[in-house]
Amino acid sequence: MNTLLAEARLLGLHGLRRTLHEHPETGLRLPRTQQALLASLDGLGLELHTGTALTSVVGVVSGARPGPTVLLRADLDALEFPDGPRHACGHDQHAAMLVGAAHLLAARRDRFAGDVLLMFQPGEEGHDGARLMLAEGLLETTGSRPVAAYALHSSAGAPAGQFSNTAGPALAANGTLTVALHGAGGHGAWPHRTRDPVPALAELVTALSALPARRFDPFDPVVLTVGTVHAGSRPAIIPDRARLEATLRALSDTTLARLASAAQSTAHGIAAAHGLEARVDYVPGYPATVNDAAEADLVRAAVTGLFGPGRFVRGTRPALVSDDIGRVLASVPGVMTSLGACPQDRDPATAPGNHAPDAVFDDAVLPDGAALFAEVALRRLAAAESGQPKQGARRP
């Protein structure tokens, strides 16, 4: 067995993961999570920083010799459900894996040149924590801008231990559209005396849903999903206003901007046709996550080197979910890699996926993720020191 993997299995990472899982926190302020991470990193001799705008943790594992910087990222926040917060996206696993990598790298600091920058990030679930960490100087922490960045993401719907990534666009850019229609309400028996926003809302939902199929190239996919609609309070009362919210997604920022423009024009046009006023707001979200081809190859080689053939499955298409790691990868070449975590006793094809309230993640993959984090950092630093192609780099 590979030494990194053997050591990772002795770290007891499931204990940290369960602690985080039992105390989920959402958003940008995760005080208990931050304290648990700081405690788990104590004694490793790392340079540690905490955020101001958010409870981030940034660690630096410095090698024995000067060299470049490689960034490893884990997100930390839980999801908010009607019955309270819950880790249903695997972020507690990501945090434990990166802590494990910190231990493995700290034990090998005499074998590499350069620095490994550990990014423990709150606020991935819609709060844009990566943007705030970048604004607080994340990429300048070591005095040497990272040459590469790597992230892992657990998948409750893929076989445990299966790694996968794809070069190029990997995750979607996103944004949120809100449309408020204003008319004149009245009695349901006299609709002709009103300006009813409800039929306009129904027409708008249909028109927006048709935009991707009729206005966009199917080989440059976009998604527009209306997630909320609000109108009225009683069957016999015509309301004076109606409202919807939609998520917009595309694999490039340019295509997303076109989709947002078309959606806004459609909303204004339908409102005008019904004699209504419309307030249309569009808020851009995360940029597209674009994986660097060479860094994706390095991760594939690292998986094979650690686990042998058969543990890596080459991704064949991107996903239209979003992640603010795209902000980091817009500045630093890197890659987001998926790690299957569906328990052995479940069928990945039917198991609840990420963000499902009953999603389950297998802790058996924690050592695998920790070892891969460490391996890719060591390979990338070795490649930079030797000047050899990144794909062929080997650990010192």
Side-chain angles (χ1 to χ4, degrees):
M1 181 187 299
N2 179 279
T3 303
L4 269 177
L5 182 57
E7 292 180 22
R9 291 180 175 176
L10 297 176
L11 291 174
L13 299 177
H14 62 282
L16 173 60
R17 189 259 173 167
R18 289 176 184 173
T19 295
L20 299 177
H21 192 80
E22 291 167 3
H23 302 286
E25 298 174 299
T26 61
L28 298 171
R29 312 300 302 185
L30 319 176
R32 292 188 67 162
T33 301
Q34 184 186 59
Q35 288 305 310
L37 293 174
L38 291 172
S40 68
L41 298 170
D42 188 43
L44 296 182
L46 308 186
E47 176 188 330
L48 293 173
H49 306 270
T50 56
T52 300
L54 70 176
T55 54
S56 58
V57 175
V58 175
V60 180
V61 186
S62 295
R65 304 176 301 282
T69 298
V70 168
L71 184 150
L72 305 177
R73 179 265 204 164
D75 41 10
L76 310 176
D77 52 323
L79 288 158
E80 190 65 63
F81 286 88
D83 59 348
R86 188 177 310 167
H87 272 294
C89 198
H91 295 188
D92 48 349
Q93 285 201 330
H94 308 163
M97 292 173 193
L98 190 53
V99 166
H103 281 258
L104 298 173
L105 291 165
R108 289 164 170 76
R109 54 168 36 104
D110 61 333
R111 306 184 201 179
F112 65 89
D115 299 297
V116 181
L117 184 61
L118 309 174
M119 177 187 180
F120 292 94
Q121 180 212 313
E124 186 278 325
E125 297 289 357
H127 296 272
D128 216 347
R131 178 181 61 82
L132 295 174
M133 292 188 71
L134 291 171
E136 291 192 345
L138 170 72
L139 300 184
E140 288 72 46
T141 301
T142 68
S144 174
R145 197 175 184 84
V147 296
Y150 305 95
L152 284 174
H153 204 298
S154 298
S155 172
Q162 175 183 290
F163 294 90
S164 178
N165 65 35
T166 183
L171 303 175
N174 71 355
T176 300
L177 177 74
T178 303
V179 180
L181 301 175
H182 295 271
H187 198 293
W190 300 313
H192 58 290
R193 297 180 181 178
T194 71
R195 288 183 290 124
D196 189 350
V198 175
L201 183 69
E203 183 177 334
L204 181 55
V205 170
T206 300
L208 291 176
S209 299
L211 275 179
R214 290 293 176 262
R215 299 277 293 274
F216 291 86
D217 185 340
F219 293 99
D220 184 14
V222 300
V223 165
L224 193 159
T225 298
V226 177
T228 71
V229 290
H230 304 276
S233 60
R234 299 288 296 276
I237 299 176
I238 292 175
D240 63 355
R241 63 191 63 197
R243 184 173 182 270
L244 66 75
E245 295 174 303
T247 183
L248 282 61
R249 297 168 185 269
L251 291 177
S252 76
D253 300 337
T254 300
T255 301
L256 181 64
R258 286 180 50 229
L259 178 62
S261 177
Q264 292 173 84
S265 297
T266 298
H268 283 296
I270 288 176
H274 286 261
L276 306 173
E277 296 177 359
R279 178 174 177 178
V280 182
D281 295 311
Y282 175 71
V283 179
Y286 298 162
T289 295
V290 181
N291 285 344
D292 180 84
E295 303 302 344
D297 283 343
L298 184 144
V299 171
R300 293 168 194 153
V303 170
T304 301
L306 276 173
F307 307 106
R311 289 286 296 277
F312 186 89
V313 175
R314 188 180 296 268
T316 57
R317 60 184 181 181
L320 286 166
V321 296
S322 302
D323 192 298
D324 61 355
I325 188 63
R327 296 209 183 277
V328 177
L329 300 190
S331 299
V332 179
V335 61
M336 165 72 88
T337 297
S338 173
L339 171 55
C342 181
Q344 298 286 347
D345 61 352
R346 295 189 175 206
D347 180 358
T350 59
N354 292 26
H355 285 219
D358 52 350
V360 176
F361 299 84
D362 190 346
D363 278 353
V365 305
L366 296 176
D368 295 359
L372 185 67
F373 260 141
E375 177 77 0
V376 295
L378 292 168
R379 283 177 178 250
R380 187 63 180 87
L381 291 172
E385 185 176 32
S386 67
Q388 296 299 312
K390 290 176 278 188
Q391 297 92 323
R394 296 183 60 84
R395 286 188 294 111

